[in-house]
Amino acid sequence: MTEELIGASAALASLLALAQGAQAVSTRAWGDGVRGAARVRAGAVALATLVLQTATAATAAGPAAGVALVLAAWMGLGWLLVLGMNQWPAAAQRWAVRLGVLGCVGCAVALGSFGWRLMG
């Protein structure tokens, strides 16, 4: 995988955590504000995604650039998700989860290929 594709995967992965977090807040357009276990699950997904993204981006571009990419992805894609969910809440939520899962799979493949190169 190229560094650009790895960076794009790391950036897209933040959408999964952002979409889970959006379901856990109580707003009229985004959801009913789930409580309890679902809210804890959203926090766990956010933490796992953050670790996966940072490890992938740091592997591809170095530690400083990796952290900068992850922070920029959370801010930029979070802003775009809020804009999308204000206009089309259901469609934005579905596509955020789909693209986030795609990004997480890309991160896992990138880390796997990096590990494979280290082993062989």
XYZ file of all heavy atoms in Angstrom:
834
model
N 0.844 -1.170 0.000
C 0.000 0.000 0.000
C 0.893 1.239 0.000
O 1.921 1.271 0.643
C -0.890 0.042 1.237
C -1.954 -1.026 1.293
S -2.964 -0.938 2.790
C -4.049 0.396 2.381
N 0.449 2.259 -0.680
C 1.195 3.515 -0.716
C 0.913 4.336 0.537
O -0.083 4.119 1.228
C 0.804 4.341 -1.957
O -0.557 4.722 -1.836
C 1.020 3.554 -3.241
N 1.785 5.298 0.806
C 1.607 6.136 1.986
C 0.325 6.963 1.901
O -0.324 7.217 2.913
C 2.820 7.056 2.177
C 4.050 6.353 2.713
C 4.820 5.593 1.642
O 4.595 5.851 0.435
O 5.616 4.735 2.004
N -0.032 7.382 0.691
C -1.255 8.168 0.523
C -2.493 7.334 0.840
O -3.436 7.816 1.479
C -1.356 8.724 -0.902
C -0.314 9.761 -1.231
C 1.019 9.157 -1.666
O 1.075 7.925 -1.915
O 1.990 9.905 -1.741
N -2.504 6.092 0.396
C -3.646 5.215 0.663
C -3.728 4.874 2.149
O -4.815 4.817 2.723
C -3.539 3.945 -0.181
C -4.716 2.989 -0.153
C -5.988 3.699 -0.580
C -4.446 1.804 -1.051
N -2.576 4.683 2.765
C -2.558 4.411 4.205
C -3.063 5.628 4.970
O -3.858 5.511 5.911
C -1.143 4.012 4.655
C -0.744 2.670 4.041
C -1.065 3.937 6.178
C 0.705 2.294 4.245
N -2.639 6.819 4.566
C -3.111 8.037 5.217
C -4.605 8.240 5.039
O -5.305 8.665 5.965
N -5.112 7.950 3.850
C -6.550 8.072 3.608
C -7.336 7.079 4.461
O -8.390 7.416 5.008
C -6.855 7.861 2.130
N -6.819 5.871 4.594
C -7.480 4.877 5.437
C -7.483 5.318 6.890
O -8.493 5.184 7.592
C -6.771 3.526 5.316
O -6.907 3.004 4.024
N -6.355 5.856 7.344
C -6.277 6.323 8.733
C -7.239 7.480 8.972
O -7.858 7.575 10.027
C -4.845 6.740 9.067
N -7.378 8.350 7.990
C -8.301 9.475 8.140
C -9.752 9.004 8.139
O -10.562 9.443 8.967
C -8.070 10.495 7.029
N -10.098 8.105 7.230
C -11.482 7.628 7.145
C -11.913 6.850 8.384
O -13.092 6.829 8.729
C -11.674 6.761 5.901
C -11.816 7.483 4.576
C -11.942 6.472 3.440
C -13.003 8.405 4.583
N -10.972 6.212 9.046
C -11.321 5.418 10.225
C -11.967 6.271 11.313
O -12.778 5.778 12.089
C -10.076 4.714 10.761
N -11.642 7.550 11.352
C -12.226 8.409 12.388
C -13.733 8.547 12.227
O -14.435 8.816 13.201
C -11.568 9.784 12.383
O -11.784 10.434 11.152
N -14.245 8.341 11.032
C -15.689 8.454 10.826
C -16.471 7.405 11.607
O -17.595 7.667 12.038
C -16.024 8.359 9.334
C -15.744 9.606 8.525
C -15.956 9.330 7.043
C -16.618 10.755 8.981
N -15.889 6.242 11.804
C -16.586 5.215 12.576
C -16.786 5.679 14.017
O -17.891 5.599 14.557
C -15.796 3.901 12.551
C -16.421 2.754 13.327
C -17.772 2.372 12.740
C -15.484 1.572 13.350
N -15.731 6.193 14.620
C -15.849 6.675 16.003
C -16.738 7.903 16.093
O -17.517 8.047 17.039
C -14.466 6.983 16.552
N -16.636 8.785 15.122
C -17.477 9.987 15.134
C -18.954 9.632 14.989
O -19.815 10.234 15.644
C -17.044 10.945 14.027
C -15.698 11.636 14.239
C -15.226 12.284 12.955
C -15.801 12.652 15.354
N -19.263 8.656 14.147
C -20.657 8.246 13.974
C -21.191 7.576 15.238
O -22.344 7.800 15.636
C -20.790 7.302 12.784
N -20.362 6.762 15.884
C -20.786 6.141 17.145
C -21.015 7.197 18.215
O -21.963 7.117 18.991
C -19.727 5.139 17.620
C -19.594 3.928 16.754
C -20.801 3.028 16.826
O -21.396 2.852 17.884
N -21.184 2.469 15.705
N -20.143 8.185 18.258
C -20.310 9.266 19.231
C -21.546 10.099 18.954
O -22.204 10.580 19.878
N -21.868 10.281 17.678
C -23.059 11.046 17.315
C -24.328 10.353 17.779
O -25.305 11.013 18.133
C -23.099 11.270 15.807
N -24.321 9.035 17.789
C -25.498 8.306 18.268
C -25.658 8.395 19.775
O -26.738 8.178 20.306
C -25.413 6.837 17.860
C -25.592 6.615 16.387
C -25.414 5.158 16.011
O -24.819 4.386 16.731
N -25.919 4.793 14.849
N -24.572 8.722 20.474
C -24.615 8.744 21.934
C -25.009 10.102 22.505
O -25.131 10.240 23.713
C -23.258 8.333 22.495
N -25.200 11.102 21.663
C -25.591 12.422 22.169
C -27.088 12.621 21.983
O -27.703 12.013 21.123
C -24.808 13.560 21.472
C -23.337 13.432 21.744
C -25.077 13.579 19.980
N -27.655 13.493 22.775
C -29.097 13.708 22.675
C -29.373 14.989 21.894
O -29.324 16.088 22.428
C -29.711 13.796 24.078
O -29.097 14.839 24.786
N -29.608 14.817 20.620
C -30.036 15.921 19.768
C -31.231 15.457 18.962
O -31.420 14.263 18.748
C -28.917 16.377 18.811
O -28.579 15.289 17.965
C -27.700 16.843 19.565
N -31.976 16.386 18.474
C -33.184 16.052 17.726
C -32.849 15.315 16.435
O -33.469 14.321 16.080
C -33.952 17.333 17.406
C -35.244 17.095 16.663
C -35.998 18.388 16.459
N -35.186 19.447 15.909
C -34.968 19.638 14.601
N -35.514 18.834 13.734
N -34.220 20.625 14.183
N -31.825 15.743 15.728
C -31.544 15.174 14.417
C -30.715 13.898 14.490
O -30.799 13.060 13.603
C -30.800 16.200 13.560
N -29.895 13.729 15.532
C -28.931 12.642 15.512
C -29.370 11.403 16.247
O -28.890 10.325 16.014
C -27.611 13.106 16.095
C -26.933 14.135 15.268
C -27.352 14.656 14.091
C -25.728 14.789 15.568
N -26.473 15.586 13.648
C -25.462 15.691 14.529
C -24.847 14.703 16.622
C -24.348 16.486 14.510
C -23.730 15.494 16.603
C -23.482 16.381 15.550
N -30.216 11.523 17.196
C -30.617 10.337 17.935
C -31.267 10.707 19.251
O -31.508 11.869 19.538
N -31.518 9.715 20.049
C -32.208 9.919 21.306
C -31.266 10.065 22.493
O -31.714 10.164 23.619
C -33.158 8.747 21.569
C -34.252 8.677 20.524
O -34.620 9.742 19.989
O -34.712 7.570 20.239
N -29.994 10.030 22.262
C -29.059 10.151 23.366
C -29.011 8.896 24.208
O -29.475 8.883 25.337
N -28.474 7.828 23.649
C -28.417 6.559 24.364
C -27.587 6.707 25.632
O -26.718 7.545 25.737
C -27.833 5.454 23.454
C -28.750 5.185 22.296
C -26.449 5.818 22.974
N -27.907 5.890 26.596
C -27.211 5.959 27.873
C -26.677 4.567 28.225
O -27.006 3.583 27.604
C -28.171 6.421 28.958
C -28.810 7.745 28.621
C -29.102 8.548 29.872
N -29.936 9.705 29.683
C -29.674 10.731 28.899
N -28.621 10.722 28.154
N -30.479 11.760 28.810
N -25.873 4.517 29.240
C -25.408 3.241 29.770
C -24.388 2.554 28.893
O -23.387 3.147 28.501
N -24.668 1.290 28.595
C -23.708 0.449 27.878
C -23.412 0.962 26.470
O -22.286 0.871 26.002
C -24.226 -0.978 27.808
N -24.410 1.515 25.802
C -24.185 2.015 24.451
C -23.249 3.224 24.460
O -22.433 3.401 23.555
C -25.507 2.378 23.795
N -23.343 4.023 25.490
C -22.454 5.182 25.597
C -21.021 4.750 25.909
O -20.064 5.309 25.391
C -22.975 6.116 26.674
C -22.385 7.464 26.577
C -23.137 8.433 27.421
N -22.856 9.734 26.871
C -23.591 10.777 27.020
N -24.701 10.688 27.692
N -23.251 11.912 26.503
N -20.884 3.737 26.741
C -19.560 3.183 27.039
C -18.974 2.547 25.781
O -17.780 2.676 25.502
C -19.645 2.174 28.201
C -18.339 1.432 28.396
C -20.056 2.874 29.473
N -19.823 1.860 25.017
C -19.359 1.248 23.771
C -18.873 2.306 22.789
O -17.861 2.120 22.112
C -20.474 0.426 23.130
C -19.976 -0.406 21.947
C -21.076 -1.149 21.250
N -21.501 -0.287 20.157
C -22.725 -0.140 19.731
N -23.703 -0.786 20.310
N -23.013 0.652 18.740
N -19.554 3.428 22.709
C -19.121 4.509 21.824
C -17.754 5.040 22.246
O -16.899 5.322 21.401
C -20.157 5.631 21.817
N -17.530 5.152 23.541
C -16.223 5.581 24.033
C -15.132 4.567 23.735
O -14.004 4.931 23.382
N -15.457 3.291 23.873
C -14.486 2.236 23.580
C -14.150 2.199 22.092
O -12.984 2.012 21.712
C -15.032 0.883 24.029
N -15.150 2.379 21.239
C -14.906 2.422 19.794
C -14.029 3.622 19.451
O -13.110 3.517 18.637
C -16.240 2.460 19.013
C -16.031 2.819 17.555
C -16.954 1.132 19.122
N -14.286 4.754 20.080
C -13.471 5.945 19.819
C -12.021 5.720 20.235
O -11.099 6.076 19.489
C -14.048 7.149 20.559
N -11.802 5.118 21.384
C -10.439 4.870 21.850
C -9.722 3.858 20.956
O -8.560 4.069 20.578
C -10.460 4.384 23.301
C -9.106 4.135 23.934
C -8.289 5.426 23.975
C -9.283 3.562 25.325
N -10.403 2.775 20.610
C -9.792 1.766 19.740
C -9.472 2.341 18.358
O -8.406 2.062 17.789
C -10.717 0.562 19.611
N -10.374 3.146 17.836
C -10.141 3.760 16.534
C -8.966 4.724 16.593
O -8.141 4.754 15.680
C -11.406 4.499 16.067
O -12.488 3.578 16.022
C -11.221 5.090 14.685
N -8.882 5.486 17.660
C -7.788 6.436 17.825
C -6.442 5.717 17.873
O -5.472 6.146 17.231
C -8.010 7.261 19.081
C -7.071 8.424 19.323
C -7.213 9.452 18.201
C -7.374 9.067 20.650
N -6.368 4.616 18.601
C -5.123 3.841 18.680
C -4.780 3.245 17.323
O -3.626 3.311 16.868
C -5.244 2.746 19.764
C -4.088 1.770 19.697
C -5.332 3.374 21.134
N -5.769 2.660 16.636
C -5.536 2.067 15.319
C -5.074 3.110 14.313
O -4.114 2.897 13.571
C -6.811 1.378 14.834
C -6.753 0.727 13.450
C -5.798 -0.453 13.464
C -8.145 0.298 13.020
N -5.738 4.248 14.293
C -5.365 5.326 13.377
C -3.961 5.826 13.636
O -3.180 6.007 12.703
C -6.295 6.530 13.559
C -7.625 6.436 12.972
C -8.352 7.712 13.282
O -8.784 7.927 14.411
N -8.484 8.570 12.307
N -3.653 6.083 14.889
C -2.357 6.642 15.225
C -1.235 5.663 14.903
O -0.201 6.057 14.359
C -2.310 7.044 16.713
O -3.406 7.921 16.975
C -1.021 7.742 17.056
N -1.437 4.396 15.201
C -0.423 3.395 14.875
C -0.215 3.289 13.370
O 0.924 3.224 12.895
C -0.827 2.036 15.449
N -1.292 3.304 12.620
C -1.184 3.193 11.167
C -0.521 4.422 10.575
O 0.392 4.307 9.749
C -2.577 3.003 10.543
O -3.198 1.859 11.131
C -2.491 2.804 9.055
N -0.970 5.604 10.964
C -0.413 6.831 10.395
C 1.036 7.022 10.808
O 1.864 7.470 10.002
C -1.249 8.027 10.834
N 1.391 6.672 12.048
C 2.773 6.797 12.490
C 3.676 5.807 11.767
O 4.836 6.118 11.480
C 2.866 6.590 13.999
N 3.157 4.636 11.440
C 3.927 3.657 10.688
C 4.204 4.157 9.278
O 5.298 3.974 8.746
C 3.169 2.316 10.627
O 2.973 1.855 11.954
C 3.933 1.285 9.842
N 3.237 4.802 8.685
C 3.380 5.255 7.296
C 4.178 6.545 7.169
O 4.988 6.686 6.254
C 2.006 5.448 6.669
N 3.979 7.488 8.082
C 4.554 8.823 7.881
C 5.472 9.288 8.999
O 5.991 10.390 8.925
C 3.422 9.827 7.720
N 5.648 8.502 10.035
C 6.453 8.934 11.169
C 5.561 9.408 12.301
O 4.383 9.714 12.087
N 6.103 9.490 13.499
C 5.263 9.801 14.662
C 4.607 11.178 14.626
O 3.413 11.301 14.886
C 6.221 9.697 15.851
C 7.455 9.061 15.346
C 7.471 9.158 13.873
N 5.365 12.209 14.313
C 4.798 13.567 14.341
C 3.752 13.748 13.247
O 2.662 14.279 13.489
C 5.894 14.606 14.198
N 4.067 13.313 12.049
C 3.115 13.443 10.941
C 1.896 12.551 11.160
O 0.777 12.922 10.793
C 3.793 13.087 9.624
N 2.084 11.387 11.772
C 0.960 10.498 12.046
C -0.026 11.104 13.028
O -1.234 11.066 12.814
N 0.500 11.677 14.105
C -0.379 12.319 15.091
C -1.082 13.526 14.475
O -2.276 13.739 14.696
C 0.420 12.710 16.354
C -0.396 13.594 17.275
C 0.882 11.458 17.084
N -0.351 14.298 13.676
C -0.967 15.463 13.012
C -2.069 15.026 12.056
O -3.131 15.671 11.997
C 0.093 16.259 12.260
N -1.865 13.934 11.324
C -2.885 13.435 10.400
C -4.136 13.014 11.150
O -5.253 13.331 10.749
C -2.340 12.266 9.578
C -3.363 11.593 8.693
C -3.509 12.375 7.396
C -2.999 10.172 8.415
N -3.958 12.320 12.266
C -5.108 11.847 13.043
C -5.893 13.026 13.619
O -7.125 13.066 13.529
C -4.644 10.871 14.151
C -5.776 10.566 15.111
C -4.119 9.589 13.531
N -5.202 13.995 14.191
C -5.901 15.165 14.732
C -6.641 15.930 13.645
O -7.787 16.353 13.837
C -4.913 16.082 15.446
C -4.311 15.542 16.737
C -3.261 16.494 17.274
C -5.389 15.272 17.759
N -6.007 16.109 12.498
C -6.659 16.823 11.392
C -7.861 16.046 10.873
O -8.889 16.636 10.523
C -5.661 17.074 10.265
N -7.754 14.724 10.824
C -8.876 13.906 10.349
C -10.070 14.028 11.290
O -11.206 14.166 10.835
C -8.443 12.450 10.217
N -9.823 13.976 12.599
C -10.922 14.089 13.549
C -11.591 15.447 13.444
O -12.821 15.551 13.482
C -10.436 13.846 14.978
C -10.337 12.399 15.314
C -9.373 11.530 14.901
C -11.236 11.632 16.105
N -9.609 10.281 15.399
C -10.740 10.314 16.150
C -12.390 11.945 16.804
C -11.390 9.303 16.858
C -13.026 10.930 17.508
C -12.530 9.630 17.525
N -10.796 16.494 13.311
C -11.384 17.836 13.226
C -12.099 18.047 11.892
O -13.246 18.496 11.863
C -10.300 18.893 13.414
C -9.799 18.972 14.831
S -8.693 20.349 15.159
C -7.477 20.223 13.892
N -11.430 17.747 10.803
C -12.007 17.998 9.481
C -13.206 17.122 9.177
O -14.266 17.608 8.758
N -13.055 15.812 9.374
C -14.170 14.915 9.070
C -15.295 15.050 10.096
O -16.462 14.842 9.768
C -13.673 13.477 8.981
C -12.772 13.199 7.780
C -12.258 11.776 7.818
C -13.491 13.468 6.470
N -14.962 15.408 11.323
C -16.014 15.670 12.310
C -16.857 16.863 11.916
O -18.084 16.846 12.041
N -16.195 17.898 11.429
C -16.918 19.085 10.961
C -17.812 18.728 9.774
O -18.984 19.115 9.731
C -15.911 20.163 10.571
C -16.512 21.387 9.990
C -17.247 22.335 10.634
C -16.438 21.807 8.630
N -17.625 23.321 9.751
C -17.133 23.004 8.516
C -15.832 21.261 7.498
C -17.260 23.680 7.313
C -15.957 21.946 6.299
C -16.669 23.141 6.230
N -17.280 17.961 8.816
C -18.086 17.563 7.655
C -19.243 16.662 8.062
O -20.340 16.755 7.496
C -17.208 16.878 6.616
C -16.248 17.783 5.867
C -15.313 16.957 4.992
C -17.007 18.797 5.033
N -19.021 15.788 9.038
C -20.105 14.913 9.496
C -21.219 15.729 10.148
O -22.399 15.467 9.920
C -19.564 13.867 10.467
C -20.582 12.864 10.995
C -21.182 12.041 9.868
C -19.951 11.969 12.042
N -20.846 16.715 10.938
C -21.869 17.569 11.557
C -22.666 18.295 10.480
O -23.901 18.367 10.550
C -21.224 18.569 12.543
C -22.214 19.649 12.948
C -20.722 17.840 13.762
N -21.986 18.828 9.481
C -22.710 19.489 8.385
C -23.633 18.527 7.656
O -24.788 18.855 7.364
C -21.715 20.092 7.387
C -20.948 21.327 7.849
C -19.967 21.748 6.764
C -21.894 22.455 8.175
N -23.140 17.323 7.375
C -23.971 16.334 6.682
C -25.146 15.875 7.516
O -26.257 15.690 7.014
N -24.931 15.703 8.814
C -26.011 15.210 9.662
C -27.064 16.266 9.942
O -28.195 15.939 10.290
C -25.444 14.637 10.956
C -24.730 13.322 10.694
S -24.149 12.522 12.154
C -25.667 11.926 12.844
N -26.718 17.521 9.800
C -27.729 18.563 9.937
C -28.671 18.581 8.746
O -29.826 18.974 8.877
C -27.070 19.932 10.105
C -26.533 20.132 11.492
O -27.045 19.565 12.444
N -25.488 20.914 11.618
N -28.207 18.163 7.588
C -29.045 18.139 6.386
C -29.698 16.773 6.157
O -30.871 16.695 5.844
C -28.211 18.519 5.154
C -27.661 19.916 5.200
C -28.763 20.953 5.213
O -29.748 20.837 4.509
N -28.607 21.965 6.049
N -28.911 15.720 6.247
C -29.377 14.363 5.958
C -28.924 13.437 7.073
O -27.933 12.704 6.925
C -28.791 13.879 4.638
C -28.887 14.862 3.537
C -29.986 15.150 2.783
C -27.844 15.727 3.064
N -29.682 16.126 1.881
C -28.380 16.501 2.020
C -26.518 15.927 3.416
C -27.635 17.439 1.336
C -25.773 16.861 2.741
C -26.329 17.597 1.713
N -29.610 13.434 8.219
C -29.104 12.680 9.377
C -28.983 11.177 9.140
O -27.976 10.587 9.493
C -30.099 12.990 10.488
C -31.242 13.684 9.874
C -30.825 14.165 8.527
N -29.968 10.555 8.541
C -29.921 9.101 8.367
C -28.868 8.697 7.340
O -28.082 7.777 7.567
C -31.292 8.590 7.947
N -28.838 9.388 6.215
C -27.868 9.046 5.168
C -26.442 9.337 5.619
O -25.527 8.539 5.370
C -28.182 9.823 3.897
N -26.236 10.448 6.293
C -24.894 10.784 6.769
C -24.412 9.767 7.791
O -23.246 9.374 7.790
C -24.883 12.189 7.361
N -25.313 9.325 8.640
C -24.951 8.327 9.649
C -24.562 7.005 8.988
O -23.555 6.400 9.348
C -26.131 8.126 10.594
C -25.843 7.274 11.783
C -25.109 8.036 12.864
O -24.841 9.217 12.742
N -24.759 7.352 13.910
N -25.358 6.557 8.013
C -25.051 5.301 7.326
C -23.714 5.370 6.610
O -22.890 4.463 6.714
C -26.153 4.968 6.318
C -27.384 4.362 6.909
C -28.295 3.793 5.831
N -28.560 4.727 4.751
C -29.584 5.569 4.717
N -30.438 5.590 5.711
N -29.763 6.370 3.686
N -23.489 6.441 5.854
C -22.256 6.557 5.086
C -21.040 6.774 5.975
O -19.937 6.326 5.653
C -22.369 7.641 4.021
C -23.083 7.109 2.832
C -24.383 7.322 2.495
C -22.545 6.226 1.852
N -24.690 6.627 1.350
C -23.581 5.947 0.937
C -21.313 5.640 1.660
C -23.388 5.105 -0.153
C -21.127 4.806 0.571
C -22.159 4.546 -0.320
N -21.204 7.440 7.090
C -20.084 7.617 8.016
C -19.636 6.266 8.566
O -18.436 5.989 8.648
C -20.471 8.562 9.140
N -20.583 5.422 8.931
C -20.235 4.095 9.444
C -19.586 3.265 8.345
O -18.554 2.616 8.574
C -21.479 3.387 10.018
C -21.185 1.937 10.343
C -21.976 4.121 11.252
N -20.140 3.277 7.139
C -19.560 2.503 6.029
C -18.136 2.936 5.719
O -17.236 2.106 5.584
C -20.420 2.660 4.776
C -21.753 1.996 4.854
C -22.590 2.327 3.647
N -23.942 1.810 3.789
C -24.952 2.200 3.057
N -24.800 3.128 2.116
N -26.154 1.678 3.241
N -17.933 4.234 5.593
C -16.596 4.737 5.273
C -15.639 4.527 6.443
O -14.445 4.271 6.243
C -16.663 6.209 4.887
C -17.337 6.511 3.549
C -17.492 8.011 3.357
C -16.558 5.894 2.407
N -16.135 4.623 7.660
C -15.299 4.377 8.827
C -14.836 2.932 8.911
O -13.669 2.659 9.212
N -15.732 2.008 8.635
C -15.359 0.592 8.620
C -14.349 0.338 7.503
O -13.366 -0.391 7.698
C -16.606 -0.308 8.475
C -16.225 -1.739 8.163
C -17.444 -0.245 9.732
N -14.560 0.941 6.333
C -13.608 0.810 5.232
C -12.227 1.329 5.639
O -11.206 0.705 5.352
C -14.118 1.563 4.006
C -13.254 1.501 2.755
C -13.219 0.092 2.207
C -13.775 2.474 1.715
N -12.198 2.465 6.336
C -10.933 3.005 6.814
C -10.261 2.093 7.830
O -9.042 1.901 7.795
N -11.035 1.511 8.737
C -10.471 0.593 9.735
C -9.906 -0.666 9.077
O -8.841 -1.151 9.471
C -11.526 0.215 10.774
S -11.912 1.557 11.924
N -10.602 -1.168 8.079
C -10.095 -2.331 7.347
C -8.800 -1.964 6.625
O -7.833 -2.739 6.631
C -11.160 -2.862 6.354
C -10.574 -3.873 5.391
C -12.317 -3.471 7.129
N -8.759 -0.787 6.021
C -7.536 -0.335 5.371
C -6.380 -0.203 6.353
O -5.242 -0.559 6.041
N -6.670 0.297 7.552
C -5.631 0.397 8.592
C -5.121 -0.986 8.995
O -3.913 -1.185 9.150
C -6.178 1.116 9.814
S -6.400 2.880 9.614
N -6.036 -1.920 9.173
C -5.636 -3.279 9.559
C -4.792 -3.931 8.468
O -3.781 -4.584 8.763
C -6.879 -4.122 9.851
N -5.172 -3.740 7.211
C -4.395 -4.295 6.101
C -3.016 -3.644 6.039
O -2.001 -4.320 5.836
C -5.156 -4.129 4.761
C -4.266 -4.419 3.574
C -6.386 -5.021 4.746
N -2.955 -2.333 6.234
C -1.668 -1.630 6.193
C -0.749 -2.095 7.321
O 0.443 -2.339 7.091
C -1.892 -0.123 6.285
N -1.293 -2.217 8.531
C -0.471 -2.704 9.638
C -0.055 -4.152 9.437
O 1.065 -4.541 9.772
C -1.208 -2.542 10.963
C -1.322 -1.117 11.494
C -2.164 -1.086 12.759
C 0.045 -0.517 11.749
N -0.946 -4.944 8.869
C -0.610 -6.336 8.573
C 0.485 -6.458 7.534
O 1.413 -7.259 7.681
N 0.413 -5.652 6.491
C 1.454 -5.705 5.461
C 2.779 -5.182 5.991
O 3.847 -5.677 5.637
C 1.028 -4.939 4.216
O 0.973 -3.557 4.473
N 2.733 -4.173 6.876
C 3.957 -3.682 7.486
C 4.576 -4.755 8.381
O 5.788 -4.965 8.357
C 3.664 -2.414 8.293
C 4.886 -1.840 8.944
C 5.840 -1.178 8.187
C 5.073 -1.967 10.301
C 6.972 -0.661 8.788
C 6.199 -1.441 10.920
C 7.152 -0.785 10.148
N 3.769 -5.415 9.163
C 4.255 -6.507 10.005
C 4.808 -7.650 9.181
O 5.812 -8.268 9.532
N 4.153 -7.933 8.063
C 4.608 -9.012 7.175
C 5.980 -8.665 6.604
O 6.846 -9.539 6.499
C 3.594 -9.194 6.064
C 3.866 -10.394 5.217
C 4.494 -10.396 4.007
C 3.543 -11.747 5.513
N 4.572 -11.669 3.530
C 3.994 -12.511 4.440
C 2.912 -12.352 6.578
C 3.843 -13.896 4.412
C 2.759 -13.729 6.543
C 3.211 -14.480 5.479
N 6.189 -7.381 6.230
C 7.498 -6.974 5.716
C 8.570 -7.052 6.799
O 9.718 -7.362 6.498
C 7.421 -5.553 5.175
C 6.834 -5.499 3.770
C 6.933 -4.112 3.202
N 5.721 -3.413 3.645
C 5.617 -2.128 3.837
N 6.650 -1.348 3.627
N 4.486 -1.592 4.254
N 8.216 -6.755 8.032
C 9.189 -6.859 9.122
C 9.592 -8.306 9.393
O 10.743 -8.594 9.717
C 8.626 -6.253 10.406
C 8.596 -4.726 10.497
C 7.974 -4.307 11.819
C 9.983 -4.151 10.377
N 8.630 -9.204 9.274
C 8.902 -10.611 9.546
C 9.703 -11.271 8.427
O 10.467 -12.185 8.683
C 7.586 -11.386 9.734
C 6.746 -10.892 10.885
S 7.532 -11.137 12.457
C 7.102 -12.811 12.758
N 9.486 -10.819 7.204
C 10.134 -11.510 6.068
C 11.132 -10.700 5.444
O 12.178 -10.430 5.278
